[in-house]
């Protein structure tokens, strides 16, 4: 599948592409060409999320910190100063194309802890609906482990999984996975990977660049996450002008095949979850709505059982008590008790805030005992 056919893409790029190692400044001509790539994708109604490194590298120059290894607190200070420069650079590059940029700082914990995950996902989904382009980076100013080891490759894969992206592109200093170190002149490019075998994993290089903190090893870790989430991952060279345009034209790359689609992978995870915190019983009308691919609205809920919070896994039972689905609750059990049987437009008056219209959104729900359309 060409990236021309992707519905939602996450594009990750490293410091070594964005920041000139000698001057510590943005590679403006390269960034301008990438912005043109993004504008072309947007004109095709493709959604794009950027995961961009570079804050520490830029902040080092801003604060005039030494070129040698920085202490943790110095790196975090550089990140704080560099984030401003990074956001400004992206905003300047995309503004001529009438694309608004929205900065989102995340840590891996935000993609793993369930409630933080749901909050981050809701924010990103809202930005995409508003046609803003999310610009994501590690929150290096508060993280400690990540800033020492670097993990924007895995962060990009988790973001892709979080938002249901079908394609993840990692722009690298090499054009893909090689059987041996490509600098030796002996390695061959692996064009397609369908299964991450031990042989494939042994090909990963452990080297790092002067400004970057990742390597091929972290890219294969990202591939494992993306593939399991039904997202195809591509490693391609970012050292060229208009890297996405060149990728569309058939530039060398390594493609990692997804295991299903994002939505089927997510629903399989939900269906297989054993840790449930409560249940709801629904009426016959709601059962029929779920059968036709609809979300579970509060109006169709008759009883609420158990103690669960927003984002917890709960069971959905038919009027006869049969388990027919399970999914992630958009409300706690306390709020669910207050809004069950009520119309969605009544929720703000009942709860005092405007939450989701659904008790369980269809993307967070897997049918078990009934056939869907």
């Amino acid at each position: 599948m060409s990236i021309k056919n992707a519905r939602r893409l996450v594009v990750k790029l490293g410091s070594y592409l964005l920041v000139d190692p000698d001057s510590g400044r943005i590679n403006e001509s390269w960034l301008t060409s990438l912005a043109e790539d993004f504008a072309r994708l947007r004109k095709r109604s493709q959604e794009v999320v950027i995961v961009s490194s570079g804050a520490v590298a830029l902040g080092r120059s801003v604060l005039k910190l030494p070129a040698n290894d920085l202490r943790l607190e110095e790196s975090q200070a550089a990140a704080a100063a560099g984030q401003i420069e990074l956001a400004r650079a992206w905003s300047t590059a995309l503004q001529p194309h009438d694309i608004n940029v929205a900065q989102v700082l995340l840590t891996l914990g935000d993609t793993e802890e369930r409630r933080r995950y749901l909050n981050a996902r809701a924010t990103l989904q809202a930005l995409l609906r508003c046609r803003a382009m999310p610009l994501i980076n590690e929150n290096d100013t508060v993280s400690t482990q990540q800033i020492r080891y670097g993990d924007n490759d895995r962060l990009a894969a988790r973001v892709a999984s979080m938002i249901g992206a079908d394609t993840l592109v990692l722009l690298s200093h090499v054009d893909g996975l090689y059987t041996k170190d490509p600098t030796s002149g002996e390695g061959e490019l692996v064009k397609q990977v369908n299964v991450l075998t031990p042989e494939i994993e042994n090909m990963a290089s452990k080297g790092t660049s002067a400004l970057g903190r990742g390597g091929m090893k972290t890219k294969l870790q990202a591939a494992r996450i993306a593939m399991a989430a039904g997202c195809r991952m591509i490693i391609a060279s970012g050292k060229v002008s208009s890297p996405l345009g060149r990728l569309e034209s058939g530039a060398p790359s390594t493609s990692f095949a997804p295991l299903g689609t994002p939505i089927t992978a997510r629903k399989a995870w939900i269906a297989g979850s054993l840790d449930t915190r409560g249940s709801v019983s629904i009426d016959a009308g709601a059962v029929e709505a779920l059968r036709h691919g609809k979300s579970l609205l509060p109006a169709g809920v008759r009883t609420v059982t158990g103690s669960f919070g927003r984002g917890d896994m709960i069971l959905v039972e038919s009027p006869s008590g049969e388990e027919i689905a399970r999914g992630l609750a958009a409300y706690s059990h306390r709020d669910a008790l207050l809004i069950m049987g009520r119309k969605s437009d009544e929720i703000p008056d009942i709860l005092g805030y405007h939450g989701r219209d659904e008790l369980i959104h269809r993307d967070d729900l897997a049918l078990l005992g009934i056939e869907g359309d």
Side-chain angles (χ1 to χ4, degrees):
M1 182 180 80
S2 167
I3 64 169
K4 292 181 180 180
N5 300 321
R7 176 185 60 87
R8 179 175 288 176
L9 301 92
V10 174
V11 179
K12 181 264 176 183
L13 53 120
S15 299
Y16 45 83
L17 298 175
L18 189 65
V19 182
D20 180 84
D22 296 322
S23 67
R25 298 182 181 278
I26 292 286
N27 289 321
E28 292 185 3
S29 60
W30 180 86
L31 183 56
T32 297
S33 74
L34 183 58
E36 292 170 351
D37 282 344
F38 287 150
R40 185 176 61 257
L41 268 57
R42 285 283 293 263
K43 287 181 180 179
R44 296 198 297 246
S45 297
Q46 293 175 280
E47 296 177 331
V48 179
V49 173
I50 309 166
V51 177
S52 175
S53 301
V56 174
L58 288 170
R60 181 195 292 265
S61 177
V62 170
L63 300 180
K64 296 180 173 56
L65 292 170
N68 56 305
D69 289 342
L70 301 178
R71 295 190 298 271
L72 176 61
E73 62 271 20
E74 291 176 327
S75 292
Q76 292 181 311
Q83 287 294 353
I84 297 173
E85 297 301 314
L86 185 67
R88 180 184 293 123
W90 277 105
S91 181
T92 299
L94 290 168
Q95 190 274 333
H97 304 287
D98 197 28
I99 297 176
N100 293 320
V101 178
Q103 187 180 53
V104 180
L105 299 180
L106 298 175
T107 66
L108 284 176
D110 294 319
T111 69
E112 293 173 345
E113 200 279 321
R114 185 171 290 173
R115 288 175 180 81
R116 289 159 63 189
Y117 168 97
L118 288 174
N119 288 335
R121 187 180 68 161
T123 298
L124 292 173
Q125 298 280 22
L127 288 172
L128 291 171
R129 286 195 301 271
C130 294
R131 292 188 56 76
M133 189 169 290
L135 171 63
I136 296 173
N137 194 3
E138 282 183 304
N139 194 355
D140 286 338
T141 59
V142 298
S143 62
T144 54
Q145 182 177 3
Q146 285 96 337
I147 203 169
R148 291 177 182 149
Y149 300 107
D151 216 355
N152 265 357
D153 291 326
R154 267 207 308 167
L155 180 61
R158 291 189 180 278
V159 167
S161 172
M162 175 190 295
I163 64 172
D166 51 42
T167 303
L168 166 63
V169 179
L170 302 184
L171 295 178
S172 178
H173 61 288
V174 294
D175 48 20
L177 174 67
Y178 280 78
T179 55
K180 295 182 180 180
D181 184 352
T183 60
S184 68
E186 299 178 359
E188 295 182 3
L189 179 67
V190 180
K191 296 182 179 180
Q192 178 72 28
V193 175
N194 296 318
V195 180
L196 286 176
T197 63
E199 180 184 11
I200 292 293
E201 293 180 343
N202 287 336
M203 296 176 189
S205 168
K206 297 181 180 179
T208 59
S209 67
L211 289 177
R213 298 182 313 212
M216 193 56 66
K217 185 176 181 180
T218 66
K219 288 173 175 54
L220 292 192
Q221 292 171 343
R224 186 176 299 279
I225 296 168
M227 293 166 74
C231 177
R232 179 183 58 149
M233 193 185 93
I234 300 171
I235 301 174
S237 174
K239 294 173 65 177
V240 296
S241 178
S242 300
L244 297 182
R246 290 177 182 251
L247 184 58
E248 290 178 2
S249 300
S253 64
T254 299
S255 180
F256 296 80
L259 305 176
T261 65
I263 193 66
T264 56
R266 180 172 178 78
K267 288 181 180 289
W269 170 75
I270 292 173
S273 175
L274 299 177
D275 183 19
T276 58
R277 300 298 179 89
S279 65
V280 294
S281 176
I282 63 176
D283 60 27
V287 173
E288 194 63 21
L290 298 189
R291 195 192 307 275
H292 287 85
K294 304 295 185 180
S295 299
L296 176 60
L297 302 179
V301 176
R302 291 294 170 257
T303 63
V304 175
T305 305
S307 178
F308 55 87
R310 179 173 178 263
D312 283 340
M313 192 76 68
I314 61 174
L315 303 179
V316 180
E317 298 176 347
S318 70
S320 63
E322 177 188 6
E323 181 183 340
I324 59 172
R326 60 181 58 193
L328 302 180
Y331 292 94
S332 69
H333 73 279
R334 293 184 181 87
D335 287 349
L337 284 167
L338 294 173
I339 63 175
M340 68 178 188
R342 308 295 289 270
K343 294 180 179 179
S344 296
D345 58 11
E346 297 178 80
I347 293 176
D349 291 334
I350 297 171
L351 299 182
Y353 68 93
H354 197 151
R356 297 289 293 266
D357 289 340
E358 314 87 6
L359 182 60
I360 305 177
H361 190 275
R362 62 185 180 183
D363 290 347
D364 296 330
L365 186 141
L367 301 182
L368 302 176
I370 58 175
E371 294 291 331
D373 287 349

